[in-house]
Amino acid sequence: MATPPSSEATITSTYIRHGDHVDTIESVDIVFREQRKLSFTYGFIFFAVTLAVPALTVWVEAWWKTTIWGGFTWNYLFISLLYYIFLWTMAWTYSKKADTLDLKLAKMADKITADVAATAATED
Amino acid sequence: MGLNSIAITLVIILVALTVALSVFSRRFTRTTADFYLAGRKVGSFANASAISGDYLSAASFLGVAAAVYASGLDGVWYAAGFAGGFMVVVLFIASPLRRFGEYTVPDFAFGRFGTNRMRLVAVVGVLATSLFYMAPQMYGAGTTWKVLVGSGLFGLSAYNTGVIIVGAIIMIYVAVGGMKGTTLNQIIQFWWLAFAMILTLLVATFIGYTPKDADGNKVGELMRFDYAQYLEGESQGYLLGPASLTVAELKDPAVMEKVELAMTEAMRPTNNPEAGYTAEMKKINDAVASGEDADKVAVVAFQKNKLNELKDELLGGAVAKGQFFNQPGHRYDGFNQFSMVLALVLGTAGLPHILNRYYTNPSGAAARRSTFWVLVFIGVFYIVSPMVGLAGRSMVRAAAQAGTAPTSADYVGGLLVKSDALMPTLARIVGGEVLMGIVAAGAFAAMFSTLAGLLIASASAVGHDVYEKYIKPDATEGQKVFVGKAAVVFFALLAITIGLLIPAPIGAGGKSLVTAFPALIAMMVTWAFAVGAGAFVPMLLTGIWWKGTTERGAIAGMIVGGGGSVAIIVMNMMNALGVITQAEAPGWVWWLASLNFPTVFTFPAAVIAIILVSKIDGQLPKNVDEIWMRIHGNAHERWEKEHGLDKASGLFTSGSK
């Protein structure tokens, strides 16, 4: 079996290089801010919905008392079935959006690398 | 075959398979990355199965259906809280933790904040959380053995035999197979326990149960589970549950009148309510007539609604106190509705044995995908478990009232006295010994998979984070793996010791944790979640998402969150054991000791401590930008992708670094 290539990482305070792949602190910061916005927006929705359940339970009688299908109340139906659909939808869409941000970082980094190479070629 | 021989045979097959897989995996475990992280190349689907196996413990397999059986809606909320915790993991932790690399959570703490002190504080946090989580697994092992086998070996009690045998099996297979063997086993164990849970529901739904008496004569109509219809049926009257009253209390005519009323309700759904009522009340009256005043007698009682009880006080009796199956309030009052869900949701992201598994993913994106699949797997499991709990409510009652329910459990008025016995009992009723055997093996699979993950996490905290870093930094790979295995043996023996000590009388009047907490497994699991949520989640969230977090701030947060949680939990135990009493303790001590879920206070307190101390301290690591690029950048992953190294390589290779 062939020996896999080794990642000779170069790490400084302004960039990390693995082979031809470079992350700069500026490009990482740009994507980090977008990632933070994405994670915290989803986090806010998640906690708002999750904590809305006990809030409705404590303060809205119709939520736990009104039966809508057989013995299901809104409260029972949401916690036993709908909550999971909510979680799956959130996790799936979040993962897809986070993957897109990863690609954005990769493209940004590739452009930086190409620019550096072009500048070096011009100077030569 | 005898009563439980199929169950025992299936458990033995599971154990043999487990040990065989561990021995097989041994040849692929040569480096520490293999031993602790399965070579970091576990695919999303396999990793999601293993994480689900790691996560679904005895508390989930036996406890969730049992909680729904006993409490209705508040039990369902328990399942939803467990599942919801993985959203915090996927949104905030999974990908950055994996990208940072390393082996363990203390590694992250060291790498992010740069001091040995930080790593050692994190090691203490890992050990505290893991030991809190091992305790209910070991207690579950003893009680499950007691229900399934009923007798001990070598003169030991059934409980002690279960604790020792389960502990010994896990010790051997984790020490031999490391993370690769554990991962393989957790995958198989997860699918087994999911299969057992789903099969029980399918049998109850499509084959059903026809109540028959001891002579095999049909005494009731065929029962097939229908979710909406069963929920409606169980919610028509006040929720009934078992209660334990003394003979002296039952001699009070007013108390006995309530017991008679509850028993009348309990017998109402049966074919011959009068005969059932007479037989059940005779047992109670005989026990009262022949017992001492202090003797306990199992009776049926109407359950109180803690949510409405508060409203009742506020509104002067305008709201009924009664509890219905499909309504909230049996377990949690208004305050605890919030604090319970916060403890479960935040606690998942603070369990070191779960977080360690994220390092086994090939990339940050794979870590997110794994978490999505975990949510799907455990979501299906947690949707099915409450259905099984509801099915058990009617079917166990029918079997008990026909006199043909399994004799391994105790009943009163057709209700299980200990609801944790629901899964094996229902399986036996609807599917005979074969289904009971499958469920029994599922219960042991749940304990094995979780305990194995905890042992790996504890061993890595000592073997990797202490031995390799401080005691012998120049150790060879062989020495490191040996120390990892020795640590597994040490923590397995410690877990066995804890398991054996749990029933010991340590409180006032000979009270033990078992007698102080009616649902001890669930309670102890919640404690572990609270410690993890306090110790790790604030440190991880701020460490990953706020560059301004300093080492001193992080340590302050871990002490406030983790230490505060442990202190409140110990006080809560002392309260239940009768050591801290309302009459003698200062008001604030009593208030803290009465908190079941400290997370609602300890989590925000820890976050505030981190922010305040970091702001005052201001001493950021010198290489904070480099750290930031490691957490949030992905150059290394792109490089791996370019060279085809980002693929899951399967578990049967070795030598990964």
Side-chain angles (χ1 to χ4, degrees):
Chain A
M1 187 179 147
T3 308
S6 124
S7 168
E8 294 291 334
T10 310
I11 302 173
T12 74
S13 59
T14 53
Y15 70 89
I16 288 181
R17 175 189 289 276
H18 288 270
D20 293 335
H21 300 278
V22 181
D23 279 341
T24 65
I25 188 66
E26 292 81 9
S27 63
V28 169
D29 260 341
I30 290 168
V31 174
F32 162 72
R33 280 193 285 275
E34 290 192 38
Q35 179 64 57
R36 185 177 58 188
K37 188 178 166 192
L38 178 68
S39 286
F40 281 80
T41 303
Y42 269 73
F44 176 79
I45 296 167
F46 167 69
F47 277 105
V49 171
T50 301
L51 291 175
V53 176
L56 289 166
T57 298
V58 172
W59 289 299
V60 181
E61 196 168 286
W63 167 252
W64 53 264
K65 208 168 186 180
T66 311
T67 52
I68 50 172
W69 169 43
F72 280 103
T73 60
W74 283 114
N75 194 354
Y76 206 111
L77 185 68
F78 186 81
I79 293 175
S80 63
L81 293 171
L82 302 181
Y83 186 64
Y84 298 96
I85 295 168
F86 164 70
L87 294 180
W88 296 335
T89 308
M90 289 276 288
W92 177 256
T93 55
Y94 168 80
S95 291
K96 288 289 154 197
K97 288 186 177 179
D99 287 349
T100 307
L101 282 180
D102 281 353
L103 278 177
K104 183 174 178 177
L105 176 59
K107 282 179 185 166
M108 207 184 303
D110 286 345
K111 187 173 181 306
I112 290 167
T113 309
D115 288 348
V116 170
T119 308
T122 311
E123 284 172 359
D124 287 344
Chain B
M1 284 192 145
L3 181 67
N4 290 321
S5 50
I6 292 178
I8 293 167
T9 305
L10 283 168
V11 172
I12 290 171
I13 290 171
L14 179 78
V15 170
L17 182 65
T18 295
V19 174
L21 277 172
S22 299
V23 172
F24 176 68
S25 305
R26 195 181 170 195
R27 71 175 81 173
F28 306 106
T29 299
R30 298 210 173 96
T31 67
T32 43
D34 290 333
F35 188 75
Y36 293 126
L37 300 177
R40 294 193 200 274
K41 295 294 176 195
V42 184
S44 296
F45 192 83
N47 214 0
S49 302
I51 292 171
S52 302
D54 220 345
Y55 191 62
L56 296 177
S57 63
S60 287
F61 187 74
L62 300 173
V64 168
V68 175
Y69 172 86
S71 300
L73 180 58
D74 277 3
V76 184
W77 199 202
Y78 200 54
F82 275 140
F86 276 98
M87 275 308 296
V88 177
V89 177
V90 72
L91 294 179
F92 299 110
I93 291 172
S95 177
L97 197 66
R98 170 60 191 95
R99 287 210 164 121
F100 198 64
E102 307 296 351
Y103 285 73
T104 62
V105 176
D107 268 344
F108 172 83
F110 174 78
R112 171 65 179 84
F113 300 107
T115 68
N116 293 322
R117 182 171 60 176
M118 185 69 219
R119 188 201 294 275
L120 292 173
V121 171
V123 166
V124 172
V126 168
L127 296 181
T129 311
S130 298
L131 289 176
F132 264 100
Y133 211 1
M134 279 181 200
Q137 309 309 319
M138 297 313 293
Y139 178 67
T143 50
T144 306
W145 184 277
K146 204 168 149 186
V147 169
L148 293 176
V149 183
S151 59
L153 302 174
F154 311 115
L156 295 167
S157 68
Y159 173 85
N160 287 352
T161 305
V163 168
I164 292 169
I165 287 184
V166 169
I169 290 167
I170 294 167
M171 177 172 74
I172 292 166
Y173 95 66
V174 176
V176 171
M179 186 59 119
K180 285 197 176 180
T182 302
T183 300
L184 272 172
N185 276 311
Q186 284 173 333
I187 292 168
I188 291 169
Q189 286 155 357
F190 165 70
W191 287 107
W192 185 288
L193 65 91
F195 168 71
M197 182 63 75
I198 292 168
L199 186 63
T200 305
L201 177 69
L202 291 177
V203 171
T205 304
F206 296 107
I207 297 174
Y209 165 66
T210 305
K212 289 177 181 168
D213 64 17
D215 299 324
N217 301 314
K218 189 176 155 188
V219 294
E221 295 303 313
L222 172 66
M223 304 169 77
R224 280 192 178 135
F225 178 68
D226 176 300
Y227 205 171
Q229 187 195 332
Y230 270 52
L231 189 55
E232 188 174 22
E234 286 302 324
S235 306
Q236 277 174 351
Y238 286 132
L239 183 70
L240 291 161
S244 182
L245 297 178
T246 62
V247 168
E249 286 168 327
L250 285 166
K251 282 179 179 170
D252 180 345
V255 173
M256 189 55 102
E257 193 181 335
K258 286 182 184 170
V259 170
E260 288 169 351
L261 189 60
M263 190 61 80
T264 307
E265 285 300 314
M267 290 295 143
R268 198 182 293 281
T270 61
N271 264 10
N272 193 344
E274 283 176 22
Y277 173 85
T278 306
E280 290 284 344
M281 285 310 298
K282 183 176 183 308
K283 278 193 272 184
I284 294 171
N285 286 322
D286 287 350
V288 172
S290 61
E292 300 289 327
D293 275 2
D295 288 351
K296 295 272 188 179
V297 180
V299 299
V300 175
F302 290 112
Q303 301 298 290
K304 282 187 178 175
N305 185 311
K306 293 178 180 171
L307 203 59
N308 287 349
E309 205 165 39
L310 179 64
K311 287 181 183 172
D312 193 56
E313 283 172 20
L314 296 173
L315 302 174
V319 181
K321 287 183 186 175
Q323 170 70 41
F324 291 87
F325 188 88
N326 65 349
Q327 292 181 5
H330 184 239
R331 288 182 172 227
Y332 314 116
D333 59 19
F335 176 76
N336 279 315
Q337 294 278 340
F338 286 95
S339 56
M340 182 276 298
V341 74
L342 272 179
L344 296 187
V345 163
L346 292 170
T348 301
L351 297 177
H353 68 296
I354 299 296
L355 295 179
N356 275 9
R357 286 220 63 95
Y358 280 90
Y359 293 115
T360 66
N361 284 288
S363 67
R368 287 193 294 265
R369 277 196 298 277
S370 291
T371 317
F372 170 74
W373 283 112
V374 170
L375 273 164
V376 172
F377 294 164
I378 66 168
V380 170
F381 181 88
Y382 285 130
I383 286 172
V384 171
S385 299
M387 294 164 82
V388 170
L390 174 61
R393 194 86 197 162
S394 302
M395 291 179 177
V396 171
R397 182 173 54 221
Q401 290 170 348
T404 49
T407 51
S408 52
D410 296 322
Y411 311 87
V412 59
L415 295 166
L416 282 165
V417 173
K418 293 277 182 191
S419 60
D420 281 342
L422 173 72
M423 280 298 298
T425 304
L426 177 65
R428 173 81 201 285
I429 290 168
V430 299
E433 287 179 25
V434 174
L435 186 57
M436 186 189 173
I438 291 170
V439 165
F444 279 102
M447 283 175 256
F448 288 170
S449 56
T450 303
L451 264 170
L454 291 166
L455 282 184
I456 287 273
S458 305
S460 60
V462 172
H464 174 73
D465 293 312
V466 177
Y467 175 79
E468 290 178 24
K469 304 295 177 190
Y470 304 110
I471 297 173
K472 195 166 185 187
D474 60 343
T476 63
E477 282 296 317
Q479 286 172 323
K480 289 176 188 174
V481 172
F482 175 79
V483 169
K485 292 181 177 186
V488 166
V489 172
F490 172 78
F491 283 105
L493 293 175
L494 187 59
I496 290 171
T497 308
I498 291 171
L500 295 176
L501 288 175
I502 286 172
I506 50 174
K511 268 190 173 181
S512 70
L513 289 174
V514 178
T515 53
F517 293 96
L520 184 59
I521 293 179
M523 199 66 232
M524 288 197 287
V525 165
T526 314
W527 289 337
F529 273 63
V531 176
F536 290 113
V537 182
M539 181 273 284
L540 288 169
L541 288 179
T542 53
I544 289 170
W545 297 102
W546 181 40
K547 208 189 256 187
T549 311
T550 69
E551 182 253 9
R552 288 196 181 94
I555 288 178
M558 290 192 72
I559 291 171
V560 169
S565 298
V566 171
I568 292 173
I569 289 165
V570 171
M571 288 165 77
N572 189 243
M573 283 185 211
M574 296 296 110
N575 174 10
L577 290 167
V579 178
I580 294 177
T581 60
Q582 191 170 12
E584 293 172 10
W588 67 273
V589 173
W590 168 252
W591 182 76
L592 283 176
S594 63
L595 289 175
N596 285 328
F597 306 102
T599 308
V600 72
F601 296 109
T602 53
F603 177 80
V607 172
I608 291 167
I610 291 173
I611 293 171
L612 285 181
V613 175
S614 295
K615 288 277 186 194
I616 295 165
D617 176 30
Q619 299 287 313
L620 294 176
K622 285 177 185 164
N623 60 341
V624 68
D625 285 336
E626 175 199 324
I627 292 166
W628 216 236
M629 287 186 284
R630 282 182 65 195
I631 296 176
H632 296 287
N634 61 10
H636 184 244
E637 288 178 4
R638 300 199 305 275
W639 176 85
E640 285 202 330
K641 193 173 181 183
E642 184 193 1
H643 292 90
L645 299 173
D646 61 327
K647 304 287 185 295
S649 63
L651 294 163
F652 305 119
T653 53
S654 73
S656 310
K657 299 283 181 186

